[in-house]
Amino acid sequence: MTVAPCTAPPTDRQRPTDEQLGHLATRARELILRTAHQAGAGHVGGSLSAADLLVTLYFDELRIDPARPAAPERDRFVLSKGHCALGLYAVLAMRGYFDVAELADFDKGGSRLQMHPDMTRLPGVEMSTGSLGQGLSAGVGMALGARLGGSASAPDSRTYVLLGDGELQEGMTWEAAHVAPRYGLGHLVAVLDHNGLQQYGWPRGADDRGDRRDPWAGVDLRATFTGLGWRVLEIDGNDIAAIRAAFAEAGQAEAIDRPTMILATTRKGHGVSFAEMTIKWHTGAPNDEQLAAALAELGGVAE
């Protein structure tokens, strides 16, 4: 797979504009589609829905250094919905953790880029995920550990967790959601990629096209997390400006003793019209014609 070099990441002294982050998100979507096309596999829909969130985290929010991926003062990020590793890999490569050309190895035997992320092999991955529902528990442990052991080297180190709305049905998630406010983990930020579709679940009804009903239809998630003691923000998770504003608000001093839950409403497959909000694109890969159409829609050029 031949791809053009990605835009150099902004320096710490010059934060990117919303427009620049938008271009980077488009670039990430192109890489997601090209990589899935070459591999013939991948979880495309959820990776596309989370692209704006991932790009904003890695190019604007997280305190990280790709040259020092294990720096003790770094922020931590856990991709709890580990099946969307394809989106994480694209952004890690763009950010400089490894060469973009290595995306061609995705899902191959012996590759560092497997269908789910492996923390023992790939720099920048904080947790091996894929068994859904475990990421928030790990994030609680990381946030608590940073507070207990990192006061000298990382007094402001933060932990971020990206969850899927399907995995939010796992019991372990709710145990972590219950305990995090009790520990006063103000440096823990969870983001729910709430695209309303999951691979398995209740059919939509008589007009079912293979899609599935929103796993949290009729549930007031804001009230639920607020009741547990979280600070809750609701945003459009495909709007860069809204994402940045939410992260800024999560970091305000008054939230220091409470974890923040960002309920980010997104569109599965966002950016590619034939894939948007269609359960068929939870997993799978575009064929030649679909790739060409998707890249044209994104503004890229098929190879």
Side-chain angles (χ1 to χ4, degrees):
M1 177 176 62
T2 303
V3 294
C6 69
T7 303
T11 65
D12 292 337
R13 297 173 184 166
Q14 182 182 357
R15 296 185 65 187
T17 65
D18 292 352
E19 183 179 14
Q20 287 171 327
L21 288 173
H23 288 316
L24 289 168
T26 297
R27 173 64 170 156
R29 289 185 167 96
E30 291 177 356
L31 290 176
I32 288 166
L33 291 162
R34 290 187 189 276
T35 304
H37 171 260
Q38 183 177 60
H43 291 81
V44 170
S47 295
L48 293 175
S49 75
D52 302 293
L53 295 163
L54 289 168
V55 161
T56 305
L57 278 164
Y58 275 89
F59 283 86
D60 187 54
E61 180 66 18
L62 294 176
R63 182 172 58 184
I64 50 176
D65 181 356
R68 300 169 57 240
E73 71 275 13
R74 73 190 185 281
D75 288 338
R76 273 75 171 174
F77 171 73
V78 175
L79 180 70
S80 188
K81 51 176 229 165
H83 57 288
C84 292
L86 187 53
L88 177 62
Y89 295 156
V91 174
L92 285 175
M94 291 167 59
R95 190 64 175 84
Y97 281 89
F98 58 91
D99 196 287
V100 171
E102 190 176 343
L103 291 171
D105 294 337
F106 173 68
D107 201 37
K108 291 182 179 179
S111 170
R112 299 191 297 176
L113 309 180
Q114 291 301 313
M115 194 67 71
H116 298 108
D118 184 346
M119 65 183 289
T120 69
R121 304 197 63 191
L122 190 65
V125 174
E126 299 286 354
M127 180 185 175
S128 303
T129 54
S131 297
L132 296 178
Q134 298 181 4
L136 188 59
S137 295
V140 168
M142 291 177 188
L144 185 58
R147 188 176 71 189
L148 294 175
S151 58
S153 61
D156 300 318
S157 176
R158 302 183 71 81
T159 301
Y160 298 77
V161 180
L162 181 60
L163 298 144
D165 47 9
E167 70 165 335
L168 200 62
Q169 297 167 104
E170 300 284 352
M172 184 184 290
T173 299
W174 291 103
E175 293 177 8
H178 179 70
V179 75
R182 296 192 173 207
Y183 282 120
L185 297 180
H187 290 92
L188 173 65
V189 180
V191 184
L192 177 65
D193 179 7
H194 191 185
N195 59 46
L197 289 179
Q198 59 181 5
Q199 186 171 23
Y200 302 107
W202 295 106
R204 293 174 64 91
D207 63 343
D208 179 37
R209 303 165 300 162
D211 292 351
R212 293 294 179 261
R213 200 165 57 192
D214 182 344
W216 294 98
V219 177
D220 189 340
L221 287 174
R222 182 186 186 98
T224 301
F225 281 104
T226 299
L228 289 172
W230 289 70
R231 183 182 190 189
V232 181
L233 307 174
E234 293 183 275
I235 63 167
D236 178 345
N238 294 129
D239 183 318
I240 296 290
I243 296 169
R244 298 181 83 175
F247 285 140
E249 188 171 350
Q252 291 178 1
E254 60 263 31
I256 201 66
D257 63 346
R258 284 198 295 163
T260 299
M261 172 62 70
I262 300 175
L263 302 178
T265 300
T266 62
R267 294 183 62 80
K268 198 157 194 168
H270 183 68
V272 180
S273 58
F274 61 79
E276 280 201 12
M277 298 308 291
T278 304
I279 195 61
K280 171 186 175 182
W281 286 97
H282 175 86
T283 187
N287 58 30
D288 292 347
E289 294 75 17
Q290 289 167 332
L291 177 64
L295 292 178
E297 190 171 347
L298 290 168
V301 179
E303 298 174 349

